Amino acid sequence: MSMHWQGGNESFPIVEIHDVRTEKFRADRYLGLRAFGVPEIGQFRIAGEADRLISLRGFASMEARRKLLTEFHNGPDWAAQRREVADLTRSEEVVLTRAITPASGLRLTLPADGVQMLVSELRFPEQIGNYHLWLRLLLRKAGLDPIAAFATLESTNDVPAVPVVKNRTQHIALLRRGGAVSVLPRELRGMLRYAPEILTLEPALSLVW
């Protein structure tokens, strides 16, 4: 068994968040195929959803992302396994984000027992700053100061091989497990299109194929 974490002490201000739904009972096989050179910060199972996975990919910059992913998608590993990955995947949604906190980007310091992910979709991009500040204050009072927070990167995706979600503004916070997220006050709810989604992320152990 192996844990798929990226090593080193780098910071990653650019983070791709992959929300993957595999075909039934195929999550283990998918995880094994994904461990071949893509810069993963972490891979997670979703508690209560056996066929849903979250993958975090970190990059030092948009230029670094373009270089790494272009080389990867033009390389022999992807050419050999592309079809099987497609067969194992029912759907995949990729959100390209920038780090809000820590300002330098996400490091390899996530708790070993996993995290909670709080996903909020805002009505307007210009609300991100206020939403983040007010949400962080609310969470801090509940003892859930975010480990990290990200916002949709309003930038042209320059890696066509990795389609990303467009025309949606999301705020994504990683929280320590064990605490309950309070109901948002009316002022925060009014900024959102929908009620926030709260996911429990458990570090993924997968077979080495």
Side-chain angles (χ1 to χ4, degrees), residues 143-158:
L144 287 172
D145 197 20
I147 299 167
F150 317 93
T152 301
L153 182 60
E154 305 294 338
S155 175
T156 301
N157 176 34
D158 55 3

Side-chain angles (χ1 to χ4, degrees), residues 8-136:
N9 295 313
E10 297 176 84
S11 295
F12 301 104
I14 305 297
V15 178
E16 284 180 3
I17 300 173
H18 292 243
D19 187 347
V20 178
R21 296 175 190 270
T22 68
E23 297 294 347
K24 197 166 186 179
F25 306 126
R26 304 304 286 159
D28 280 341
R29 178 62 177 166
Y30 177 91
L31 286 166
L33 289 176
R34 296 301 290 155
F36 47 58
V38 179
E40 306 279 4
I41 296 173
Q43 292 180 326
F44 302 88
R45 299 181 188 276
I46 306 300
E49 300 187 55
D51 303 313
R52 187 178 179 188
L53 306 167
I54 293 287
S55 174
L56 303 180
R57 296 183 184 177
F59 304 92
S61 65
M62 287 293 285
E63 181 179 355
R65 173 179 178 265
R66 182 179 66 251
K67 181 179 179 181
L68 282 167
L69 293 182
T70 299
E71 289 177 355
F72 170 72
H73 284 97
N74 289 333
D77 285 336
W78 182 242
Q81 301 190 36
R82 179 177 182 178
R83 179 172 294 179
E84 186 171 5
V85 170
D87 289 343
L88 294 172
T89 306
R90 186 152 42 96
S91 67
E92 181 172 9
E93 185 175 273
V94 183
V95 180
L96 182 59
T97 73
R98 58 179 176 84
I100 302 176
T101 185
S104 60
L106 184 62
R107 287 178 177 268
L108 187 65
T109 55
L110 299 180
D113 62 343
V115 294
Q116 294 183 92
M117 176 179 279
L118 177 65
V119 183
S120 307
E121 184 166 339
L122 282 80
R123 296 179 182 275
F124 305 106
E126 57 269 23
Q127 294 175 317
I128 279 287
N130 284 336
Y131 182 80
H132 172 72
L133 291 174
W134 294 346
L135 178 65
R136 187 174 185 181

